[in-house]
Amino acid sequence: MFRALSTTCSGVRRILVRCLIVALATMAPVWVPSLRAQSAPAYASEAVRALFLINFLGFTDWPADTLPQNTPYVIGVAGSRALEEELLALAEKRLVRDRRIRVVRVKNSRDLAGCHLLYVSPFFASGDENSPTAGELLPLVRRQSVLTVSSSSTFLQEGGIVNLVAGDQGRLHFEISTNNAKEAGLVLSSRLLALARIVNPSPADGGR
């Protein structure tokens, strides 16, 4: 009798644990190590970059007219199909602020329409050689409410807003130009800014 009761209780516990895991997976935000005081390694892979981009959505406020209610966030990716695939996989199972996420490949200016976040890869893999560069895309979204992100040492000077930087042991950190964000009409969370290195290039440095 006691063995049967123990087996039943064990089965109930497994069901409760499974339900708890499902609930946490549904409710919890995407985890990015660098947004948690960098207590664990965050390696500079496209999978980790994708997690950073998804999290940036949740820490950014867009003007109401560029992000109406019940519309998805749109992430544009130029120059990295690997990152695009990672984002597509996350977008299938994640919501940010109760919004779905749509991922588009940016091949020309027409693909920028409706983008809330634009990632421009400085490293073109095979098949991506004809993708537009930051120098080509940034002037097209200047003063528009687009959170621009890349992984280039000159990106903020060119007018970008967020630059992902590989640090010690490949950990990703990020730099933010608050001036460029303000010009784009974006409000970045103080929690995000507290974790970033603030870099505001002067016009003499090539900033916009």
Side-chain angles (χ1 to χ4, degrees), residues 125-205:
S126 177
D128 295 321
E129 295 87 354
N130 295 324
S131 297
T133 64
E136 295 169 324
L137 292 175
L138 286 175
L140 300 178
V141 297
R142 184 176 181 181
R143 295 192 178 92
Q144 295 184 27
S145 298
V146 179
L147 182 65
T148 51
V149 188
S150 188
S151 304
S152 166
S153 60
T154 62
F155 188 66
L156 302 187
Q157 294 178 3
E158 294 177 273
I161 297 174
V162 182
N163 182 46
L164 296 174
V165 181
D168 295 339
Q169 299 180 343
R171 287 190 179 94
L172 276 181
H173 307 266
F174 53 96
E175 304 170 332
I176 291 177
S177 170
T178 52
N179 287 349
N180 292 346
K182 182 178 180 180
E183 187 176 14
L186 301 175
V187 178
L188 305 180
S189 166
S190 59
R191 293 170 60 195
L192 184 68
L193 295 176
L195 293 168
R197 177 172 175 253
I198 307 302
V199 179
N200 286 308
S202 67
D205 295 327

Side-chain angles (χ1 to χ4, degrees), residues 37-156:
Q38 297 181 15
S39 58
Y43 296 100
S45 68
E46 297 296 63
V48 174
R49 282 191 177 87
L51 287 171
F52 270 82
L53 297 185
I54 296 291
N55 271 274
F56 288 154
L57 295 175
F59 288 94
T60 305
D61 288 325
W62 279 261
D65 60 342
T66 63
L67 190 60
Q69 289 186 350
N70 302 319
T71 59
Y73 289 108
V74 179
I75 300 178
V77 180
S80 178
R81 296 192 185 187
L83 177 60
E84 181 185 336
E85 291 173 359
E86 295 290 350
L87 286 168
L88 285 169
L90 287 173
E92 288 181 357
K93 52 190 175 183
R94 297 286 183 178
L95 295 177
V96 176
R97 293 182 173 179
D98 296 323
R99 295 179 188 267
R100 299 191 66 82
I101 303 164
R102 187 161 67 89
V103 182
V104 299
R105 183 180 304 169
V106 175
K107 298 171 290 186
N108 52 55
S109 59
R110 294 187 299 275
D111 299 324
L112 294 172
C115 281
H116 300 104
L117 187 153
L118 171 65
Y119 181 86
V120 187
S121 176
F123 314 111
F124 294 159
S126 177
D128 295 321
E129 295 87 354
N130 295 324
S131 297
T133 64
E136 295 169 324
L137 292 175
L138 286 175
L140 300 178
V141 297
R142 184 176 181 181
R143 295 192 178 92
Q144 295 184 27
S145 298
V146 179
L147 182 65
T148 51
V149 188
S150 188
S151 304
S152 166
S153 60
T154 62
F155 188 66
L156 302 187

Side-chain angles (χ1 to χ4, degrees), residues 1-37:
M1 176 179 176
F2 289 109
R3 183 178 302 173
L5 181 59
S6 176
T7 301
T8 300
C9 292
S10 177
V12 171
R13 281 197 298 270
R14 284 197 298 270
I15 293 172
L16 290 175
V17 169
R18 190 177 300 118
C19 291
L20 179 60
I21 291 172
V22 171
L24 289 175
T26 303
M27 297 171 60
V30 178
W31 178 77
V32 171
S34 284
L35 297 183
R36 295 288 183 86

